[in-house]
Amino acid sequence: QVQIVEPGGGLVQPGGSLRLSCAVPGSALSLFVMYWYRQAPGKQREQVARVTRGDLTTYEEFVEGRFTISRDNAKNTVYLQVNNLKPEDTAIYFCDANRITGVGEGLDYWGQGTQVTVSS
């Protein structure tokens, strides 16, 4: 059993920054591909960023260079640094840990989400 903990959300003014954390205690984080997703009010959940086991990163276009995903395998933690936030970034941000363990099988752990609100 893995319980994901996601501190770091909050209220920030436009142009502000936050650092979201996703801790996966008891896991071998180096074996997981880590994702950040978000879901804005009235919209579908969308991928924000991904970091592979080989530390390769991928971002969606709307990130526009403002976000950085990173991982610390020793701490079993992945981070999302979010800078220059816009009101449209307001959403619940979710961490996802994914590990393929075999053909058609794998582990997929989701955090409960953390609210990021960008407003004046």
Side-chain angles (χ1 to χ4, degrees), residues 1-17:
Q1 301 182 45
V2 176
Q3 184 69 52
I4 296 180
V5 179
E6 298 170 304
L11 175 65
V12 64
Q13 294 184 345
S17 299

Side-chain angles (χ1 to χ4, degrees), residues 18-91:
L18 290 169
R19 193 185 196 193
L20 310 183
S21 298
C22 175
V24 189
S27 71
L29 194 72
S30 63
L31 300 179
F32 288 79
V33 177
M34 303 297 300
Y35 299 81
W36 284 98
Y37 290 81
R38 71 183 188 184
Q39 187 169 16
K43 296 185 177 180
Q44 299 294 316
R45 185 177 297 185
E46 62 183 347
Q47 185 175 304
V48 176
R50 178 188 70 185
V51 57
T52 70
R53 300 193 302 179
D55 208 30
L56 300 177
T57 59
T58 303
Y59 303 93
E60 296 303 304
E61 184 175 339
F62 64 77
V63 168
E64 300 173 336
R66 299 174 298 127
F67 299 174
T68 302
I69 187 172
S70 61
R71 63 193 299 158
D72 187 335
N73 292 332
K75 296 182 179 179
N76 287 341
T77 301
V78 64
Y79 304 94
L80 185 69
Q81 178 71 39
V82 292
N83 299 322
N84 195 23
L85 287 163
K86 305 175 181 180
E88 50 264 45
D89 294 319
T90 296

